[in-house]
Amino acid sequence: MENFDAIIIGGGSAGLAASIALGRSRRSTLVIDANEPRNARAAHAHNVLGQEGISPLQLLDQGRNEAVHYGAQIITDHAVRIEGSSLNGFTVHTETAAYKASRIVLATGLTDQLEEIPGLREAWGISAIHCTYCHGWEVRDQSVAVLGLGPMSSHQALLFAQLSDRVTFVNHHPEHLSAENREILNKSGVVIVEGRVQQLRVDEHGQLDGIVLANGDLLESQAAVVSSRMIANSELYLQLGGTLKDHPMGTFIPVNEMGATDVPGLYATGNAANLGAMVMAAAASGTVAGAALNGDLALERLDSHSSATTA
């Protein structure tokens, strides 16, 4: 069974950044990646300094090349089980093999739980969007419908109103729209439509062709803004006895400022630990976790050397 200093589970921007930090410190590193990036359907990645508008898949391809350059091994597989501890080492079981490591980084991302509205999944990531900073500029001055699906929906409408004066709020779940937020939307020029969404009309390319309301009316819109419930992919963390934390937008793996979880020797980074992290923030957290892990191993080696010398 191959043994590594660190195994990183997840090869997105956070996991690859961690592997580069470790590789540059000459740590033997394995990245296990299921090749299921959350932003695969998006045409562009934004707020990526020096790479604005790059294809998310191209960005990951460049990151993989950089990681391999510094010695990381990358395999495409699903990690299904993890056991062990920082004292005796961890064993990660995939669908095809098993690997050992002194430390683990979970860069497993999150899963978006979407409202069951016909057409939403087909449009998701293309014309059904969620983040003004990731997609807002691309729909500026367009007709934008914000679907009132959760407690953050009115905040989404407020932000998109900065980019277009044709923003409509569809009050799908009226229990989430407080009187205070209703007043804020009114002051922002956002039109509030009472009623539920029956369907998103979407073409074969995922482009929105209007929103059908429960009363049969058709709301013309070029983009639908939705909020998902974001759930950290945490099965492996839970297997080691970790405890998740709740957030208004979902659940996440709690970590300290260096990415360490409450399980010794286990780090978490990217969207698994920060539901709102965009590409650069996820990558930055990966670099920090990789650096912290390297320092942890350096101190452990020093302690072992001191103990051996004393004996």
Side-chain angles (χ1 to χ4, degrees), residues 33-76:
D33 182 36
N35 196 26
E36 298 172 349
R38 180 188 179 206
N39 58 359
R41 288 171 61 85
H44 307 283
H46 297 288
N47 304 295
V48 183
L49 188 64
Q51 297 279 10
E52 173 60 27
I54 190 173
S55 158
L57 298 183
Q58 182 184 351
L59 183 65
L60 291 180
D61 187 57
Q62 292 178 186
R64 282 190 289 267
N65 289 338
E66 292 168 0
V68 170
H69 173 75
Y70 288 113
Q73 295 185 43
I74 302 177
I75 62 171
T76 301

Side-chain angles (χ1 to χ4, degrees), residues 104-262:
I104 302 292
V105 178
L106 297 180
T108 46
L110 61 80
T111 296
D112 292 288
Q113 292 183 348
L114 299 174
E115 189 91 5
E116 290 298 331
I117 296 174
L120 177 53
R121 293 186 181 279
E122 290 79 2
W124 178 245
I126 300 173
S127 59
I129 56 181
H130 72 290
C131 173
T132 181
Y133 305 106
C134 303
H135 312 282
W137 175 261
E138 284 64 43
V139 299
R140 66 194 185 281
D141 299 324
Q142 295 183 15
S143 56
V144 177
V146 179
L147 310 190
L149 303 178
M152 296 299 295
S153 297
S154 58
H155 182 66
Q156 289 176 309
L158 177 65
L159 296 181
F160 276 91
Q162 173 69 24
L163 295 161
S164 174
D165 59 5
R166 295 189 290 158
V167 177
T168 301
F169 184 90
V170 183
N171 201 12
H172 185 82
H173 287 312
E175 67 273 16
H176 291 307
L177 183 61
S178 67
E180 179 183 1
N181 286 335
R182 181 184 290 272
E183 181 63 20
I184 290 173
L185 294 184
N186 286 332
K187 289 181 179 179
S188 301
V190 175
V191 176
I192 300 175
V193 173
E194 302 296 341
R196 294 177 64 85
V197 175
Q198 178 175 303
Q199 177 188 2
L200 302 187
R201 291 203 327 198
V202 183
D203 67 17
E204 65 273 19
H205 304 295
Q207 295 297 327
L208 186 65
D209 188 37
I211 297 174
V212 181
L213 303 178
N215 63 3
D217 288 349
L218 178 65
L219 178 64
E220 294 186 5
S221 181
Q222 295 166 279
V225 178
V226 301
S227 57
S228 66
R229 182 163 174 76
M230 295 181 281
I231 307 299
N233 296 324
S234 58
E235 293 84 358
L236 299 174
Y237 172 67
L238 296 175
Q239 288 174 11
L240 290 174
T243 302
L244 295 175
K245 279 197 172 181
D246 290 326
H247 185 279
M249 294 187 296
T251 60
F252 66 97
I253 299 173
V255 297
N256 67 12
E257 67 275 8
M258 301 304 290
T261 73
D262 52 2

